[in-house]
Amino acid sequence: MKTVYVATEEQKQYIQSLIEQFYTCIFPKYFTDHEIETFQSLGILQFQSSTYDGTLKEAFEIISALQSLQAIIEFASLHGVSYYNHLFQRNVEQLARHGISFPLTPEHFLHEKDHYVSIYMKPAHSWVM
């Protein structure tokens, strides 16, 4: 018999918030609204299969992969991608093992859009003008 621990509700919510950060903070810097809409329809960063069982170990692996990808994207845009390719690919494979698709490469995140306003970006404040 094998004992496994189930991921907490907070961890599941945190995974969703990390995925939301990709769509609201990272993707709008590098992609147009149409491209982001295509990502959503293709199921990028969404659970595609039943390979994720919701265990504590899997939740930690997904969280660490998403956080690592965010850090790599941030640093690769500042320092180039050659050093980070291996780390990027390793984290993409980690997500794929749990049924999360991320078919992008570090080269997609080399050049930020110039002051592009996106419907996906979070507003700077909640006041309506």
Side-chain angles (χ1 to χ4, degrees):
M1 181 186 328
K2 183 177 179 181
T3 303
V4 293
Y5 297 97
V6 177
T8 65
E9 190 59 38
E10 289 80 11
Q11 288 168 321
K12 293 175 188 177
Q13 290 172 359
Y14 187 59
I15 289 171
Q16 289 305 316
S17 74
L18 288 172
I19 291 171
E20 183 182 321
Q21 283 180 352
F22 271 93
Y23 277 97
T24 60
C25 298
I26 296 173
F27 288 163
K29 290 181 183 178
Y30 302 96
F31 302 103
T32 64
D33 287 349
H34 179 69
E35 290 171 322
I36 296 170
E37 186 177 309
T38 304
F39 293 166
Q40 286 180 325
S41 66
L42 292 174
I44 292 178
L45 286 178
Q46 297 173 7
F47 291 98
Q48 298 296 324
S49 65
S50 60
T51 57
Y52 175 63
D53 296 324
T55 66
L56 187 65
K57 180 181 184 259
E58 290 174 326
F60 278 126
E61 289 174 353
I62 292 169
I63 289 169
S64 66
L66 290 170
Q67 288 175 333
S68 297
L69 285 172
Q70 286 179 344
I72 291 167
I73 289 168
E74 179 181 327
F75 287 111
S77 65
L78 298 174
H79 304 292
V81 296
S82 60
Y83 176 75
Y84 299 104
N85 278 335
H86 173 71
L87 295 172
F88 189 93
Q89 188 58 37
R90 189 175 84 188
N91 286 289
V92 168
E93 290 170 2
Q94 180 73 19
L95 291 175
R97 279 194 289 271
H98 299 296
I100 300 174
S101 172
F102 193 80
L104 303 172
T105 63
E107 288 78 20
H108 286 107
F109 301 99
L110 284 179
H111 306 288
E112 289 187 19
K113 302 259 184 241
D114 292 328
H115 304 289
Y116 182 72
V117 178
S118 172
I119 62 170
Y120 291 95
M121 293 180 90
K122 286 186 176 181
H125 52 78
S126 61
W127 291 67
V128 178
M129 298 287 188

